[in-house]
C-alpha cells in the first residue's frame, strides 16, 4: 500500500550474516546465472531504488538508503554493483554486499557506460530487470546515448517469478520483521488513551520497530472523525473516549518487509462499527482460506468482494488494495486484483488487508501469511475484528 | 474535525504543535516503555497581524503569482508539474511548493497563466488529506494506474503553449505511457519553479525555524539516551522518537559511533563503547521544511587533543559564518572554513575523499546556494537558508561533526539551531 516515502532509510543498516548467510546469495547468483544462460543475453542489469529495491537486494543484499543501486551481471564475468554513494562511503557499503566490485556513482548513465566499456560489453544484449519500471527517464536517456550499439530486453517478470516463493532463509527474515510489526501494533493497543495524538501513537510504534533494527518504518493512522475519511501519516489529531483508531504499520528489517493493520476503540465499539468489522473479518478470512498454491489471485479477489457485501465498503477497500506479495519489496507480485491470470505458488508470502470506510466509520484489518498447501501459515494475525484498547 | 482549524473558505489546516518533553531515563533492555510527551496546541502563529492560515493562503497565492509571471516571461500559457512521490532532502518539490500538500504517490499540478492551480493526485484514497492540507481549489484523485491517462486528458484542456516540469523524474515506463498522450512540442520547464525558491518567505522561515528547534530536541534526546552497551540503531531510534513527538514528519538522520570515525554513516548494530565519539547529522522536517544540526558527543571524558581539535572546528565555523554575507559568493564560506583547517595542517583532509562540501542550501530542497565548495559560487542573498558544517576528518581524532542551519540576514548569518557549539561529553 502506498505510504509516505521518507528522504532516507535511517534505521539500523547492517548485514546479519547469521540470518542471511553468504551461502544464500551464492544460491541466488546461481539461479540468476541460469536465467541469463537461458535467455542467451550477454548480461543483465538489476535496478532498484529506495522505493523498490527488491531485485537488486535479492541478488546483492545491498539496500539503497537514498536514490538507487544497479547490479551488472555478465553471463561470463564477475558481477559489479554501482551505488549512489560517495567514494568515502564505499568501505561501509562493501560490508552490505558479497559483491567485490563496488563502485560509486553520481551520474548513473555516465558511470554505467564506463563500467560496461570496462567489461567489453558495449555491443552486448542486456536483460533489464526493474529498469523500465523504476529508472528515471533522464538516466535511461544517458545510458542509451552512451551505448548506441547495445540491445535491450525486458526480463523483470522472470526474476519476479523467481522471487515469489520464499526459501527458509527468507522466511526467517520475514518472521523477524513480522515480530517487530506485531510488537508495534500491540504497543498501540497498550498505550492508546484519550488525549493522545495520532502523532504520539505513531512515534511510539515507530520506536518499537527501530529498536528492533528496522531500516525503514511506515505508519498510516486515523483517529476519531478521520476514520470516516482515510488513513494518513500521523498528525495532531487528538483521540477521545469512544473514538476508533485505525492503524496500518509496515516495517523493514534486514531488507524484508512485514505489514499489519488493526482497529482499536477507546471504549466499547458501536454496533455499526461491529457490523463493519465483522464484514471485513469475513472478507479477510475468505482470502486466507482461498490462498493456497494454484489459486488464482482474481478468485481470491472475488471471494473478498463477495464477503464485503456492501458497495461503499467494497469501493474503499479496493481503493486501498486487498493485498499483494510482500518480501524484499513492500508491494510485490502477485497482486490480489481482478482480471489477472496469476496463480499463487507454495511459499509465497502475502499481505492481505481490508481497509475501508462506510458511513463515517472505518475499519483496518490486515494479516500476513505464507501460502501453504496445508493452509496458510500466519505471520501477523489481525487479532479479531476490533480490539478495545486498554 | 478535532485538532484542526476550520477556515472561512472551507480549508482545514492542522494546528502547529509545540513540545515540552519531560526529561526521562532511557528504557532498560527488554522493557516495554513509552513516554507520552506533552504536546499542546499553540495559538495560531501570527506574522504581521495575520493568522497562520491566512499567511499560508496568501503565501501560496504569491508563489503561484511569481510562477505565473515567469510563465508569461517565457510566453507560456500553461504549466504541468509532475512529482514522482519520492521525497528527497536535496531535491526541491515543486508540487509541495505550489500546493502545500505533500503527496503520498506520483501526482500532477496544472497551472494556467492565470487563476489557481489544479491538483491530480494518487493514490485516490488520499483525497481527504489533500483537501484538508492544501488550499487548492480543484483537487482530483485517481488510482496510480490511471494517473497518466487522466493527466493527459486534463492537459488537453489547457491553453497552449504548454510546458512540463518533472519529465526527468518520470520512470521509463511512466514516460512511455504519458508522453505520447500529450503534445510532442511541449516544452521542458524544469527550472521554472526552482529558480524562484532560493529565499524563504516568512511562513517558510517559520517552518525551517521550527524544524531547527526539533533538531535541537533530537540532539538533546541523543545526549540523554546515549549509554555504553546500547546499539547505534537503538540510539537513533530514541532521537527519531523525540523528534517525531515534537512534530517531525521526516528526517535525514545519520548517526555513528566509534573511537576513530572515518565519516558519518548510517547507524549499525555496533554496541557503543566507553570513549566513543558519537557523531550525529540530524535533519528533521517540519511540514516539508528541513533543518540540520551536526554535533559530536564523547561518551566519557574528552581528551585534551579532542577538545583542541574540536576548537579548530568551532573556529572554522566562525570563519564560515563571517564569510556568509549577502552578496558574497557561497564559495567564500568554503574558502574560509578550509583556510582555518588548512592553516592547522590539515589542508589535504579538506578534499575528497575526506570531505566533500562545507554546507549546502537547506530548508526546502538543496536549492541555491547548493553545495558549498571552493568552486561553487552563487551569491548569497537575504533570507536564504542553508547549513554550514565544517565537519572534518582529522587523523588524530577521527571524524568530528559541527554544523548549524542559518538564515542569511543583512548583518550575516543567524543560526536557527540553538544547541550550544561545544564538544559534548557524557560520563558513561
Amino acid at each position: 500500500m502506498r505510504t509516505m516515502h521518507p528522504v532516507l532509510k535511517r534505521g539500523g543498516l547492517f548485514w546479519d550474516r547469521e540470518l542471511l548467510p553468504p551461502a544464500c546469495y551464492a544460491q541466488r547468483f546461481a539461479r540468476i546465472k541460469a536465467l541469463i544462460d537461458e535467455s542467451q543475453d550477454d548480461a543483465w542489469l538489476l535496478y532498484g531504488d529506495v522505493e523498490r529495491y527488491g531485485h537488486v537486494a535479492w541478488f546483492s543484499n545491498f539496500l539503497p538508503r537514498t536514490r538507487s543501486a544497479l547490479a551488472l551481471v555478465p553471463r561470463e564475468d564477475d558481477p559489479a554493483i554501482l551505488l549512489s554513494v560517495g567514494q568515502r562511503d564505499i568501505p561501509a557499503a562493501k560490508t552490505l554486499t558479497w559483491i567485490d566490485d563496488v563502485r560509486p556513482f553520481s551520474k548513473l548513465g555516465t558511470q554505467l557506460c564506463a563500467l560496461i566499456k570496462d567489461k567489453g560489453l558495449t555491443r552486448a544484449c542486456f536483460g533489464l530487470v526493474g529498469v523500465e519500471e523504476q529508472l528515471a527517464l533522464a538516466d535511461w536517456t544517458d545510458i542509451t546515448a552512451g551505448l548506441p550499439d547495445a540491445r535491450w530486453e525486458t526480463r523483470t517478470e522472470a526474476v519476479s517469478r523467481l522471487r515469489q516463493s520464499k526459501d527458509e532463509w527468507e522466511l526467517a527474515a520475514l518472521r523477524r520483521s513480522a515480530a517487530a510489526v506485531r510488537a508495534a501494533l500491540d504497543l498501540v493497543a497498550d498505550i492508546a488513551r484519550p488525549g493522545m495524538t495520532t502523532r504520539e501513537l505513531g512515534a511510539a510504534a515507530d520506536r518499537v520497530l527501530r529498536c528492533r533494527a528496522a531500516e525503514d518504518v511506515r505508519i498510516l493512522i486515523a483517529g476519531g472523525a478521520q476514520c470516516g475519511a482515510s488513513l494518513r501519516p500521523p498528525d495532531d489529531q487528538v483521540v477521545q473516549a469512544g473514538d476508533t483508531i485505525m492503524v496500518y504499520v509496515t516495517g523493514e528489517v534486514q531488507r524484508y518487509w512485514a505489514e499489519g493493520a488493526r482497529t482499536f476503540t477507546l471504549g466499547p465499539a458501536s454496533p455499526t462499527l461491529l457490523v463493519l468489522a465483522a464484514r471485513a473479518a469475513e472478507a479477510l478470512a475468505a482470502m486466507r482460506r482461498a490462498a493456497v498454491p494454484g489459486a488464482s489471485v482474481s478468485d481470491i479477489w472475488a471471494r473478498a468482494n463477495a464477503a464485503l457485501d456492501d458497495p461503499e465498503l467494497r469501493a474503499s477497500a479496493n481503493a486501498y488494495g486487498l493485498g499483494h506479495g510482500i518480501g524484499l519489496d513492500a508491494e510485490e507480485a502477485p497482486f490480489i486484483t481482478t482480471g489477472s491470470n496469476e496463480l499463487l505458488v507454495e511459499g509465497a508470502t502475502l499481505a492481505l488487508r481490508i481497509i475501508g470506510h462506510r458511513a463515517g466509520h472505518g475499519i483496518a484489518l490486515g494479516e500476513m501469511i505464507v501460502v501453504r498447501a496445508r493452509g496458510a501459515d500466519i505471520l501477523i494475525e489481525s487479532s479479531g475484528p476490533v480490539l478495545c484498547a486498554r | 474535525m478535532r485538532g484542526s482549524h476550520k477556515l472561512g473558505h472551507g480549508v482545514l489546516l492542522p494546528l502547529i504543535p509545540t513540545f515540552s518533553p519531560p526529561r526521562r531515563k532511557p528504557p532498560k533492555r527488554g522493557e516495554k516503555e513509552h513516554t507520552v510527551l506533552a504536546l499542546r496546541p499553540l495559538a495560531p502563529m501570527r506574522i504581521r497581524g495575520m493568522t497562520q492560515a491566512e499567511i499560508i493562503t496568501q503565501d501560496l497565492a504569491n508563489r503561484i503569482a511569481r510562477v505565473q509571471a515567469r510563465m508569461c516571461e517565457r510566453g507560456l500559457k500553461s504549466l504541468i508539474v509532475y512529482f514522482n512521490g519520492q521525497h528527497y532532502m536535496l531535491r526541491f518539490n515543486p508540487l509541495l511548493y505550489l500546493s502545500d500538500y505533500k503527496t503520498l504517490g506520483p501526482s500532477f499540478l496544472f497551472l494556467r497563466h492565470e487563476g489557481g492551480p489544479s491538483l491530480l493526485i494518487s493514490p485516490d484514497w488520499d483525497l481527504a488529506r489533500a483537501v484538508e492540507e492544501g488550499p487548492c481549489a480543484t483537487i482530483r484523485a485517481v488510482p496510480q494506474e490511471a494517473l497518466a491517462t487522466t493527466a493527459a486528458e486534463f492537459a488537453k484542456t489547457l491553453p497552449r503553449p504548454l510546458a512540463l516540469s518533472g519529465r526527468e523524474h518520470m520512470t521509463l515506463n511512466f514516460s512511455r505511457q504519458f508522453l505520447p498522450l500529450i503534445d510532442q512540442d511541449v516544452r521542458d520547464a524544469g527550472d521554472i519553479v526552482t529558480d524562484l525558491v532560493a529565499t524563504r518567505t516568512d511562513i517558510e522561515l517559520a517552518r525551517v525555524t521550527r524544524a531547527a528547534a526539533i533538531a535541537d530536541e533530537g540532539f538533546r534526546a541523543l545526549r540523554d539516551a546515549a549509554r555504553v552497551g546500547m546499539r547505534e540503531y537503538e540510539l537513533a531510534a530514541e532521537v527519531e522518537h523525540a523528534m517525531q513527538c515534537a512534530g517531525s514528519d521526516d528526517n535525514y538522520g545519520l548517526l555513528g559511533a566509534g573511537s576513530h570515525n572515518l565519516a558519518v554513516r548510517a547507524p549499525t548494530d555496533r554496541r557503543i563503547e566507553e570513549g566513543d565519539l558519537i557523531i550525529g547529522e540530524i535533519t528533521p522536517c517540519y511540514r516539508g521544511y528541513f533543518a540540520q544540526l551536526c554535533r559530536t558527543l564523547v561518551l566519557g571524558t574528552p581528551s585534551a587533543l579532542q577538545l583542541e581539535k574540536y576548537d579548530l572546528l568551532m573556529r572554522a565555523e566562525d570563519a564560515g559564518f563571517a564569510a556568509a554575507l549577502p552578496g558574497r559568493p557561497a564559495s567564500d564560506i568554503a574558502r574560509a572554513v578550509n583556510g582555518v583547517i588548512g592553516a592547522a595542517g590539515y589542508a589535504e583532509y579538506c578534499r575528497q575523499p575526506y570531505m566533500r562540501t562545507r554546507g549546502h542550501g537547506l530548508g526546502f530542497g538543496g536549492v541555491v546556494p547548493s553545495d558549498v565548495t571552493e568552486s561553487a559560487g552563487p551569491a548569497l542573498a537575504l533570507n536564504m537558508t542553508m547549513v554550514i558544517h565544517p565537519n572534518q576528518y582529522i587523523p588524530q581524532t577521527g571524524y568530528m561533526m559541527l554544523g548549524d542551519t542559518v538564515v542569511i540576514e543583512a548583518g550575516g548569518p543567524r543560526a536557527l539551531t540553538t544547541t550550544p557549539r561545544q564538544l559534548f561529553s557524557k560520563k558513561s
Side-chain angles (χ1 to χ4, degrees), chain A residues 11-14 209-214, chain B residues 230-238 255 267-270:
Chain A
L13 187 66
F14 56 98
L209 273 150
R210 291 186 192 279
C211 282
R212 288 173 173 247
Chain B
M230 186 178 213
R231 293 192 191 275
E232 288 174 3
Y233 63 72
E234 292 174 320
L235 181 56
E238 299 302 334
L255 186 153
T268 69
D269 59 342
R270 179 184 177 277

Side-chain angles (χ1 to χ4, degrees), chain A residues 12-287:
Chain A
L13 187 66
F14 56 98
W15 177 4
D16 184 335
R17 288 165 188 257
E18 287 181 20
L19 186 70
L20 296 161
C24 101
Y25 292 96
Q27 196 178 87
R28 293 177 190 184
F29 184 29
R31 295 177 80 185
I32 286 282
K33 278 276 197 185
L35 282 178
I36 298 175
D37 284 344
E38 192 181 313
S39 72
Q40 292 294 301
D41 296 332
D42 300 302
W44 278 14
L45 300 177
L46 282 74
Y47 181 76
D49 61 20
V50 66
E51 190 176 333
R52 289 194 180 188
Y53 54 80
H55 299 310
V56 74
W58 186 85
F59 178 70
S60 70
N61 188 57
F62 185 80
L63 172 73
R65 289 182 307 131
T66 177
R67 294 187 282 185
S68 58
L70 187 146
L72 169 69
V73 192
R75 190 150 53 122
E76 292 168 358
D77 199 352
D78 293 331
I81 189 164
L82 292 170
L83 312 176
S84 55
V85 299
Q87 181 68 46
R88 71 177 184 182
D89 302 315
I90 290 297
K94 280 193 165 191
T95 67
L96 300 174
T97 180
W98 58 271
I99 298 174
D100 291 329
D101 189 350
V102 179
R103 307 183 189 195
F105 75 80
S106 53
K107 234 177 155 327
L108 179 59
T110 310
Q111 263 103 343
L112 178 62
C113 291
L115 172 63
I116 285 173
K117 280 172 190 161
D118 275 1
K119 300 274 185 186
L121 291 168
T122 52
R123 303 177 72 84
C125 179
F126 292 92
L128 303 177
V129 180
V131 172
E132 291 155 297
E133 295 80 359
Q134 290 156 259
L135 187 73
L137 177 60
D139 289 326
W140 180 248
T141 305
D142 289 346
I143 292 166
T144 49
L147 298 167
D149 299 322
R151 287 170 296 126
W152 314 99
E153 297 289 343
T154 304
R155 303 293 184 208
T156 302
E157 205 180 324
V159 179
S160 295
R161 266 202 309 273
L162 198 63
R163 288 177 43 210
Q164 275 191 34
S165 180
K166 274 48 179 186
D167 61 30
E168 284 307 315
W169 285 309
E170 293 188 285
L171 288 173
L174 284 158
R175 281 189 203 100
R176 188 181 290 186
S177 312
V181 167
R182 258 199 327 267
L185 288 165
D186 288 347
L187 182 81
V188 175
D190 279 350
I191 64 168
R193 61 176 182 272
M196 290 183 78
T197 63
T198 60
R199 187 187 300 285
E200 290 172 298
L201 291 168
D206 180 281
R207 181 176 170 278
V208 167
L209 273 150
R210 291 186 192 279
C211 282
R212 288 173 173 247
E215 295 149 350
D216 195 353
V217 180
R218 314 285 179 93
I219 292 168
L220 297 171
I221 191 166
Q226 291 175 337
C227 292
S230 65
L231 286 176
R232 73 270 315 276
D235 60 19
D236 300 316
Q237 175 78 359
V238 178
V239 291
Q240 307 287 9
D243 274 355
T244 303
I245 304 168
M246 301 161 65
V247 187
Y248 168 87
V249 175
T250 182
E252 167 206 330
V253 180
Q254 288 296 304
R255 330 292 181 262
Y256 283 86
W257 288 89
E259 74 157 63
R262 291 183 190 169
T263 302
F264 309 103
T265 56
L266 293 174
S270 70
T272 312
L273 178 61
L274 288 173
V275 170
L276 196 64
R279 281 196 184 129
E282 177 47 36
L284 199 58
M287 287 199 284

Side-chain angles (χ1 to χ4, degrees), chain A residues 2 5 7 10 13 49 51 65-66 88 132 135 137 140 190 199-200 204 207 232 236-237 243, chain B residues 2 15 27 32 34 36-37 86-87 132 144 170 172-173 176 238 240 244 250-251 267 353-354:
Chain A
R2 180 56 78 162
H5 181 264
V7 293
R10 53 191 181 270
L13 187 66
D49 61 20
E51 190 176 333
R65 289 182 307 131
T66 177
R88 71 177 184 182
E132 291 155 297
L135 187 73
L137 177 60
W140 180 248
D190 279 350
R199 187 187 300 285
E200 290 172 298
R207 181 176 170 278
R232 73 270 315 276
D236 300 316
Q237 175 78 359
D243 274 355
Chain B
R2 283 191 304 271
L15 294 167
K32 234 178 197 178
H34 174 72
V36 178
L37 299 184
Q86 286 197 13
H87 303 285
E132 290 164 26
Q144 192 174 328
M170 290 177 179
L172 191 52
N173 275 355
R176 285 170 176 166
E238 299 302 334
E240 184 69 29
Q244 286 188 15
D250 205 345
N251 173 26
Y354 301 101

Side-chain angles (χ1 to χ4, degrees), chain B residues 228 232 255-263 265 268 270-279 296-303 305-307 309 392-401 423:
Chain B
V228 169
E232 288 174 3
L255 186 153
S259 58
H260 190 96
N261 297 297
L262 295 176
R265 53 172 170 72
T268 69
R270 179 184 177 277
R271 291 193 185 278
I272 296 170
E273 296 175 8
E274 168 83 29
D276 273 358
L277 276 89
I278 301 172
I279 48 178
T296 304
L297 171 79
V298 178
L299 201 55
T301 306
S303 67
L305 187 69
Q306 287 169 336
L307 289 166
K309 300 307 177 192
Q392 184 63 47
Y393 176 76
I394 290 176
Q396 294 93 333
T397 59
Y399 195 82
M400 296 199 288
M401 300 193 78
L423 178 61

Side-chain angles (χ1 to χ4, degrees), chain A residues 1-5 51 218 220 233 331, chain B residues 81-87 91 93 95-96 101-109 119-127 129-130 142-145 147 174:
Chain A
M1 198 164 85
R2 180 56 78 162
T3 52
M4 188 62 81
H5 181 264
E51 190 176 333
R218 314 285 179 93
L220 297 171
E331 290 179 273
Chain B
V81 176
Y82 171 76
F83 185 72
N84 64 7
Q86 286 197 13
H87 303 285
R91 198 172 80 199
N93 177 349
L95 200 140
L96 176 59
Y101 163 67
K102 190 173 176 181
T103 61
L104 280 177
S107 299
F108 282 91
L109 181 141
L119 266 177
L120 174 65
I121 67 159
S122 74
D124 48 351
W125 54 263
D126 199 35
L127 178 62
R129 189 178 67 92
V142 293
Q144 192 174 328
E145 54 271 23
L147 189 67
F174 187 82

